[in-house]
């Protein structure tokens, strides 16, 4: 797994090499943050990184953070990836429900409206009773 981290010390030319970056990500998804800016905006590269590191979306381009397909894949692996989604997707009920199913504490990162949604809060609390602390006060 540490071998993938070698990307951190690679020159910019190697960080732009998609095949090399994909290989590094197979070993260590954390290497995604050291890929070139261009590759951090590549859907295939991000999906490979997320297989090893569910929060890799943190280092993804803004365009990928607004991609519902990508964000759904991320929150299914790690519900707290919701914190790195665009504001619009933090307010998307389908996305928030998937995040809550994976990790109830992801409710913290849902939009205020969804923190007041009985369906979303119930799913979050079902997964983790402590998620109730992130529910909107109107539900308490």
């Amino acid at each position: 797994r540490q071998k993938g981290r070698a990307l951190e010390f690679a020159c910019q030319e190697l960080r732009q090499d998609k095949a090399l970056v994909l290989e590094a990500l197979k070993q260590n998804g954390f290497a995604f943050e050291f890929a070139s800016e261009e590759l951090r905006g590549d859907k295939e590269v991000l999906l490979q990184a997320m297989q090893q590191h569910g929060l890799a979306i943190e280092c993804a381009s803004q365009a990928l953070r607004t991609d519902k397909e990508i964000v759904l894949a991320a929150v299914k692996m790690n519900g707290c990836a919701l914190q790195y989604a665009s504001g619009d997707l933090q307010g998307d009920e389908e996305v928030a429900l998937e995040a809550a199913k994976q990790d109830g504490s992801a409710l913290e990162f849902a939009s205020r409206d969804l923190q007041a949604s009985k369906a979303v809060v119930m799913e979050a609390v079902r997964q983790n009773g402590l998620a109730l602390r992130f529910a909107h006060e109107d539900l308490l």
Side-chain angles (χ1 to χ4, degrees), residues 31-43:
F32 183 70
E33 73 176 288
F34 303 110
S36 69
E37 185 175 341
E38 178 184 339
L39 291 179
R40 283 184 280 127
D42 184 295
K43 190 181 268 194

Side-chain angles (χ1 to χ4, degrees), residues 91-106:
D92 182 289
E93 187 171 20
E94 179 185 5
V95 172
L97 279 168
E98 287 298 331
K101 284 178 191 176
Q102 201 286 322
D103 184 343
S105 64

Side-chain angles (χ1 to χ4, degrees), residues 60-91:
S61 68
Q62 192 58 39
L64 290 179
R65 292 178 187 209
T66 63
D67 184 309
K68 187 172 180 176
E69 176 189 351
I70 289 288
V71 172
L72 277 170
V75 299
K76 286 178 181 180
M77 289 180 229
N78 187 321
C80 288
L82 184 60
Q83 69 188 298
Y84 303 114
S86 67
D88 285 347
L89 291 177
Q90 288 175 341

Side-chain angles (χ1 to χ4, degrees), residues 6-128:
L7 194 58
E8 177 179 1
F9 306 105
C11 66
Q12 191 59 33
E13 183 180 337
L14 293 177
R15 291 177 185 210
Q16 294 173 343
D17 184 313
K18 186 172 179 175
L20 180 103
V21 170
L22 285 169
E23 193 57 40
L25 293 173
K26 287 178 186 174
Q27 296 176 30
N28 187 331
F30 288 94
F32 183 70
E33 73 176 288
F34 303 110
S36 69
E37 185 175 341
E38 178 184 339
L39 291 179
R40 283 184 280 127
D42 184 295
K43 190 181 268 194
E44 178 187 3
V45 174
L46 176 56
L47 288 171
Q48 179 64 49
M50 289 189 324
Q51 288 181 18
Q52 297 287 330
H53 174 44
L55 294 177
I57 193 171
E58 174 184 9
C59 300
S61 68
Q62 192 58 39
L64 290 179
R65 292 178 187 209
T66 63
D67 184 309
K68 187 172 180 176
E69 176 189 351
I70 289 288
V71 172
L72 277 170
V75 299
K76 286 178 181 180
M77 289 180 229
N78 187 321
C80 288
L82 184 60
Q83 69 188 298
Y84 303 114
S86 67
D88 285 347
L89 291 177
Q90 288 175 341
D92 182 289
E93 187 171 20
E94 179 185 5
V95 172
L97 279 168
E98 287 298 331
K101 284 178 191 176
Q102 201 286 322
D103 184 343
S105 64
L107 182 62
E108 176 181 7
F109 307 111
S111 69
R112 191 149 171 80
D113 286 346
L114 292 179
Q115 289 174 343
S117 163
K118 188 173 181 179
V120 174
V121 171
M122 289 292 291
E123 190 61 51
V125 170
R126 188 175 297 123
Q127 200 285 324
N128 179 347

